[in-house]
Amino acid sequence: MAAQLYRDTAVVLRTYRLGEADRIVVLLTEFHGKVRAVAKGVRKTKSRFGARLEPMSHVNLLLAKGRELDIVSQADAVESLAPLVGDLDHMTNGMAALEAIDQMTLDREPAPHLYRMLVGALRTIGTRAGPLVVPAFFWKLLAVDGVRPELDACVRCGEPGPVVAFDLDEGGVLCRQCRSGTAISPEALDLMRQVLGGRLNDALAVDPSAATHEVSTLATKALEHHIERHLRTVAMFER
Ligand SMILES: [Zn+2]
């Protein structure tokens, strides 16, 4: 019986070894969701896939459908989304984006909007630094997953302001009377409103500050709260 072949474009999220020469690649495809596929012979020095199946590679693929694991039959580079080797900040940010999306997607469940968000985020990471590139991506991911935080009024009493705290269990900001969770500064709140309120480019252009650190810490906590586990990569970039 001939294997069923299909084409798709994907970003490599991570890879792991399989036997002596093969590797399993975890892919976020545009139209087939997250797919696990075997890349045969990829660890040999003369592999026909070259370095095209490393994390952050953006590739056009021809895949053969398998019961659990598909098989990579062809892989052509679309573009390199991996930042220049040696740029540790960009690399770490990219890995954090990959890990977050890996945690937020299910095998074989099409999520073209998440694929597009990831490609967009990796392009941004590769071209501009900025303390809020990854945190903004985390907040956006949460928003598309239906857990957009309430930022405009106290989540408990509806008081429009001033709000002084952010509580993950409540899903948003709180006024002085109702406060719980962690304190949030007006500057950090303003940045979060920019990120989630259509002024993303303004937020991405800001310099590192106490407020960006607050937004970043909250973004990580919110994502970890949502996926109910810790992100491995974050410890590396939150310092
Ligand atoms: Zn309140």
Side-chain angles (χ1 to χ4, degrees), residues 35-51:
V35 167
R36 287 163 212 276
V38 181
K40 290 197 167 142
V42 75
R43 292 170 52 224
K44 290 180 186 154
T45 43
K46 281 186 183 165
S47 164
R48 64 203 163 103
F49 298 122

Side-chain angles (χ1 to χ4, degrees), residues 153-160 162-163 173-179:
C154 174
V155 275
R156 213 170 287 158
C157 74
E159 182 70 35
V163 289
V173 291
L174 294 129
C175 73
R176 196 160 276 127
Q177 241 81 52
C178 306
R179 68 179 305 165

